[in-house]
Amino acid sequence: VEQSYIMVKPDGVQRGLVGEVISRFERKGFKLTGLKLFQCPKELAEEHYKDLKAKSFYPTLIDYITSGPVVCMVWEGVGVVASARKLIGSTNPLQAEPGTIRGDLAVQTGRNVIHGSDSPENGKRETALWFKEGELC
Ligand code: ATP
Ligand code: MG
């Protein structure tokens, strides 16, 4: 079954947006199979974002993701990866459509509230990276 790894980033947790994010995914109708509050170690952040290692913003990104607890989730369902990306909106919140999470709740690319897997393959990879098998229902 298709999985998307969804994560409320530290700014979203600090701003009290966890319920809002979970609510949007629940209302859409996907199935929640993993959920935890977690302080991400630097090594895990680096592995998660390894494809962005060459980018100028990479060190800032690692500092951001490890700056406080994140809420890690796995959502399942047919088409969940693409649908979650639509619910989340564009990377730059100023370009994200109203009605999307980033479009409604954020203004800065470097503080854009939420992560969502960009392909079903990465959904599997990221789920295995962030969750142990026994943590998933
Ligand atoms: P995510 O992977 O977090 O769901 P995304 O797929 O929309 O976001 P990516 O290109 O994978 O975007 O970038 C990962 C994250 O790196 C972005 O969500 C953002 O937090 C940060 N980022 C991307 N581009 C920039 C930038 N130009 N300046 C600062 N941060 C950036
Ligand atoms: Mg991405």
Side-chain angles (χ1 to χ4, degrees):
V1 60
E2 190 173 318
Q3 296 175 314
S4 184
Y5 174 67
I6 301 293
M7 172 168 71
V8 183
K9 295 177 178 178
D11 57 320
V13 176
Q14 280 158 13
R15 291 174 57 205
L17 300 175
V18 172
E20 169 84 29
V21 168
I22 292 176
S23 178
R24 290 185 184 216
F25 280 87
E26 282 186 318
R27 281 150 62 202
K28 177 68 179 172
F30 290 116
K31 184 183 176 196
L32 181 64
T33 59
L35 176 65
K36 64 182 174 186
L37 185 67
F38 184 64
Q39 174 61 53
C40 174
K42 194 174 182 200
E43 302 69 42
L44 178 57
E46 289 172 344
E47 179 63 22
H48 176 79
Y49 282 124
K50 65 179 179 188
D51 292 348
L52 299 176
K53 198 158 188 147
K55 301 285 187 185
S56 60
F57 59 80
Y58 177 79
T60 315
L61 175 59
I62 299 303
D63 285 348
Y64 164 44
I65 293 301
T66 57
S67 67
V70 294
V71 169
C72 309
M73 292 176 264
V74 178
W75 290 88
E76 289 187 3
V78 176
V80 66
V81 167
S83 180
R85 299 278 292 186
K86 282 191 186 167
L87 290 174
I88 290 169
S90 300
T91 307
N92 180 345
L94 295 182
Q95 280 154 21
E97 293 294 329
T100 65
I101 291 168
R102 288 168 175 163
D104 289 347
L105 304 173
V107 289
Q108 290 180 51
T109 303
R111 289 175 188 262
N112 60 3
V113 175
I114 183 168
H115 162 83
S117 304
D118 61 10
S119 68
E121 294 68 33
N122 276 333
K124 298 277 182 226
R125 178 183 84 87
E126 293 167 2
T127 295
L129 194 58
W130 289 84
F131 283 93
K132 297 167 191 157
E133 217 161 288
E135 292 177 325
L136 299 172
C137 290

